[in-house]
Amino acid sequence: MEQYVLDVETRFPVKLQVIKGQWKTPEEVREAIKSLHREKAISGVILVGAMPMHRFFMHEHANPNPVYFEDFELRFVDKNKDGVDDAYEGKPQLKLWVANIRASEKERDDDLPGLRRFFAKTHDYYTGKAVPELRTLFFSTDVSTTDWTGPGDWFKRRGGTRFSEPGDVTLLTGKACTHQAALEAFKKHSYSLTCVGVHSDETGHALADEDLMAHEIADFKTGSLITINHGCFTANWNKTEHDDNGPNCGLSWVFGKHLGQAAVAQVRSGGVGFDDLIYERLRVGDYLGKAYLPCKQAHEIEAHPGDHAPGDIVSGILMIGNPFLGLKPVKREINTRLVIKKAVYGDLANNTVVNVTQKVADWIEDSLTVEATAENFGDPANGIEKQLKVDYTLDGVDGTMLVEEGQLLKLRK
């Protein structure tokens, strides 16, 4: 632990404080976090070992609930009096990020050997003994349609390919997303970033032909530094009664024999969205924990109104592993002919807009279409007809283009 603190403080503009204790309940952990935030304005927390987790009924099951620690002002309640909270009072306003360095699925087993192995490989990473290749990997069994350009385009739009050269992006999509292809991908290479966009459960990922199981992931010799898992239940180390048939997927991406350091994943049914917010923050130099917070906050705001089942007011997104990781975007040849100076999307007449300059510039550089839609840019003015306004310079001449909602931006290059 002392070496980890030294490694992090040497490389990131943060100060770590190690708090040791024998916390027996989630309430005790929460109170300790709240006190530290009030007295020392901490911005994040790493829970090391088998820390007691608050359980919350999310859609189908009582799952680990990180929001309990991330927003310690919410009051959680058990409406149906079954011993498990299923509602909260207030509006989620996350105060800090929380990472879980937890090597064991068992409730009271710290797995000290597993933690030692994990911190040893974080040191190997920080000192350059274990260096992931500047490659990115994407899994999806989905295919393109007449209305959708496909999962590969989806991944590119979220910025994952900014961390590798175009030729170093591996896309396993549709029928090509097979068990053997996944094993071969990790046999040949390691990755800086992997995005797993397939149906999943606590112990496996559903590929086109058969599942990639957690024990296989744990045995990878290469691995992925950061993994974004979009599938259901991946981070639920508690598991459910029908899926307790092997080790947990989320933990396997982080605590396996490979160089993997962190995973952002889901403890309940549902996916992980807003990962573009993570990529955007990593690109400007934030470490993973800091980059994760806006993604998690967006999820909780989205979940807050609730859905069709009790407990759907909690997103279930959780971070496992080392939050002090950075990804540097790959430098590319700058297009000096066309420069996107500013781009905004929304209700221009009332200045209810979002700044989308970086997205538009990236998509043009990657030769991707730029369509003025809320799906691409978010919805800053719900129910109002929106526009995309782009200020640019082409061959030294300034210009402005307005694109109506649903239309394509067309700039001559």
Side-chain angles (χ1 to χ4, degrees):
M1 183 69 73
E2 291 78 8
Q3 184 62 62
Y4 177 73
V5 171
L6 179 61
D7 284 339
V8 170
E9 291 184 346
T10 301
R11 293 163 177 82
F12 295 91
V14 297
K15 182 69 176 177
L16 299 189
Q17 181 178 359
V18 179
I19 308 294
K20 299 179 181 179
Q22 295 290 330
W23 298 280
K24 296 181 179 180
T25 67
E27 291 78 12
E28 292 175 345
V29 177
R30 192 188 205 202
E31 186 57 37
I33 293 173
K34 183 177 181 179
S35 297
L36 287 166
H37 184 268
R38 181 179 62 248
E39 296 168 7
K40 299 191 176 183
I42 61 173
S43 58
V45 172
I46 306 174
L47 302 178
V48 180
M51 298 289 282
M53 293 292 291
H54 180 257
R55 296 177 71 214
F56 189 86
F57 186 84
M58 303 178 193
H59 197 72
E60 306 100 336
H61 307 287
N63 300 326
N65 176 31
V67 178
Y68 187 76
F69 301 138
E70 294 163 335
D71 186 349
F72 34 76
E73 300 296 345
L74 289 176
R75 180 174 178 269
F76 288 85
V77 294
D78 177 12
K79 284 191 171 182
N80 63 2
K81 306 300 181 183
D82 66 350
V84 178
D85 289 345
D86 52 23
Y88 61 70
E89 297 173 356
K91 186 175 181 179
Q93 295 180 338
L94 275 60
K95 311 298 189 297
L96 40 71
W97 53 261
V98 174
N100 300 268
I101 298 182
R102 183 188 190 104
S104 174
E105 301 172 12
K106 297 178 181 178
E107 187 173 349
R108 300 187 183 279
D109 178 13
D110 287 323
D111 187 6
L112 294 180
L115 290 176
R116 291 189 187 100
R117 288 193 298 270
F118 178 75
F119 284 117
K121 71 176 183 178
T122 65
H123 182 61
D124 287 347
Y125 166 70
Y126 286 134
T127 56
K129 294 180 181 178
V131 181
E133 296 178 62
L134 296 178
R135 304 183 67 92
T136 55
L137 173 64
F138 176 67
F139 293 84
S140 175
T141 55
D142 292 336
V143 296
S144 59
T145 67
T146 55
D147 299 320
W148 186 43
T149 52
D153 182 82
W154 178 91
F155 181 52
K156 292 175 182 178
R157 288 187 185 281
R158 277 153 178 76
T161 53
R162 290 279 130 183
F163 304 108
S164 59
E165 294 288 352
D168 293 329
V169 181
T170 300
L171 301 177
L172 302 181
T173 60
K175 293 182 179 179
C177 185
T178 65
H179 182 259
Q180 186 59 39
L183 296 181
E184 285 294 323
F186 281 100
K187 184 178 180 181
K188 294 178 179 178
H189 299 287
S190 62
Y191 300 87
S192 297
L193 173 69
T194 295
C195 180
V196 184
V198 298
H199 293 292
S200 307
D201 60 24
E202 291 88 338
T203 59
H205 300 297
L207 305 187
D209 53 352
E210 61 180 288
D211 289 357
L212 176 65
M213 303 303 295
H215 68 86
E216 297 175 297
I217 297 168
D219 285 338
F220 287 157
K221 303 302 181 186
T222 55
S224 174
L225 184 67
I226 298 172
T227 301
I228 309 295
N229 274 294
H230 287 271
C232 304
F233 299 112
T234 312
N236 190 356
W237 59 74
N238 279 355
K239 302 179 182 173
T240 58
E241 61 277 3
H242 65 283
D243 278 315
D244 191 7
N245 61 349
N248 173 249
C249 267
L251 297 185
S252 293
W253 282 107
V254 178
F255 296 99
K257 300 175 183 177
H258 44 72
L259 56 74
Q261 296 268 312
V264 176
Q266 175 65 267
V267 302
R268 52 163 279 185
S269 59
V272 174
F274 301 110
D275 51 318
D276 54 324
L277 299 179
I278 297 178
Y279 304 145
E280 287 176 8
R281 300 314 307 170
L282 288 172
R283 286 186 58 189
V284 297
D286 285 348
Y287 55 85
L288 179 60
K290 193 173 181 180
Y292 162 80
L293 184 58
C295 166
K296 183 62 187 292
Q297 179 67 67
H299 269 288
E300 298 310 329
I301 292 172
E302 182 182 65
H304 173 66
D307 202 342
H308 61 281
D312 277 352
I313 59 171
V314 169
S315 76
I317 310 302
L318 184 144
M319 177 165 50
I320 299 173
N322 180 13
F324 292 105
L325 301 170
L327 291 181
K328 294 183 179 180
V330 173
K331 292 183 179 180
R332 300 190 181 184
E333 185 177 345
I334 299 175
N335 181 355
T336 56
R337 292 191 58 233
L338 175 62
V339 177
I340 303 301
K341 298 169 62 178
K342 184 177 181 180
V344 295
Y345 173 77
D347 178 8
L348 300 183
N350 294 300
N351 198 33
T352 308
V353 299
V354 289
N355 190 309
V356 295
T357 306
Q358 193 65 62
K359 279 188 176 182
V360 171
D362 288 349
W363 294 353
I364 288 176
E365 184 177 326
D366 289 340
S367 299
L368 297 168
T369 58
V370 179
E371 185 177 6
T373 64
E375 181 180 358
N376 281 336
F377 300 119
D379 195 346
N382 188 31
I384 305 296
E385 192 78 10
K386 289 167 280 292
Q387 293 175 308
L388 172 66
K389 179 182 178 182
V390 180
D391 296 328
Y392 63 94
T393 299
L394 179 61
D395 290 334
V397 179
D398 291 339
T400 296
M401 182 164 287
L402 288 177
V403 183
E404 299 297 327
E405 187 168 12
Q407 300 300 307
L408 294 178
L409 172 67
K410 296 180 179 180
L411 294 174
R412 179 180 58 84
K413 290 196 289 184

